[in-house]
Amino acid sequence: MAVRKVLLYPDPVLKRVCAPAPEGDELDRVIADLVDTMRSFPGCVGIAAPQIGYEVRVAVIDLSEHKKAPPSVHGLLALVDPVVVASDGAEVAREGCLSIPQLTANVRRAVTCGVSTRDGDYEFEGFEARCVLHEIDHLDGLLFLDRVDSLTQDVFPRKTGKPQPKGG
């Protein structure tokens, strides 16, 4: 459909809890815009609807070409009304976000997670679980900076000359 402008923090839309996903053609348009926008940023593996101004519970991920993806990666997925139903383990790793392009941070997240969506249930692990949880946070009005242990020790300026962030 269209590549949309990515909202940047402190845009208030990024801190709001999203409404349930729409139905039919409207849902198809949101998903298409998310995919087109995600693919317009080299190396991007996910983006959530509020990042492009839609305040609905929809996100897309695609780790199929990413070097950190586990062998069991799902490929392109549209997560419609996702809910985390299980999680296990914890690991700290660096995250970035299209909506906060100047920073990265060490963020603690579950190593595995189960997610229920309108279209079915999924199990994710490793980097894919991290990406899914990052995008679901966007739907709940949370940013990766809300998850850091220490704003002074775990947040870093993005190095110049680097490609766009690896997550939405």
Side-chain angles (χ1 to χ4, degrees):
M1 287 290 230
V3 173
R4 300 291 181 190
K5 177 184 172 196
V6 174
L7 301 181
L8 300 177
Y9 180 77
D11 192 299
V13 169
L14 297 171
K15 296 299 288 176
R16 292 187 194 132
V17 175
C18 291
E23 303 280 342
D25 291 343
E26 186 179 353
L27 176 59
D28 293 342
R29 180 174 45 88
V30 171
I31 292 170
D33 287 353
L34 284 167
V35 171
D36 289 348
T37 304
M38 177 180 68
R39 290 189 171 148
S40 75
F41 290 93
C44 183
V45 295
I47 190 167
Q51 291 182 273
I52 59 172
Y54 295 117
E55 295 183 56
V56 295
R57 296 190 67 79
V58 181
V60 297
I61 63 162
D62 186 359
L63 280 71
S64 57
E65 302 295 320
H66 198 277
K67 64 184 178 189
K68 289 185 181 178
S72 60
V73 69
H74 289 87
L76 177 62
L77 277 180
L79 303 171
V80 179
D81 292 327
V83 175
V84 177
V85 294
S87 63
D88 192 39
E91 181 178 71
V92 175
R94 190 72 61 97
E95 291 186 19
C97 181
L98 292 174
S99 293
I100 310 174
Q102 70 279 18
L103 299 174
T104 62
N106 291 330
V107 179
R108 181 178 315 280
R109 293 209 188 262
V111 177
T112 63
C113 66
V115 175
S116 179
T117 72
R118 190 184 289 178
D119 301 319
D121 298 332
Y122 297 92
E123 296 290 326
F124 300 101
E125 64 181 40
F127 185 61
E128 191 174 35
R130 175 172 295 278
C131 294
V132 167
L133 293 169
H134 177 109
E135 299 312 331
I136 291 173
D137 271 358
H138 277 296
L139 306 180
D140 293 328
L142 297 171
L143 299 170
F144 74 96
L145 293 178
D146 296 320
R147 297 255 183 221
V148 298
D149 289 335
S150 168
L151 290 174
T152 58
Q153 295 181 341
D154 292 322
V155 179
F156 309 94
R158 183 174 295 280
K159 295 179 181 173
T160 58
K162 287 258 186 179
Q164 288 291 329
K166 301 285 189 217

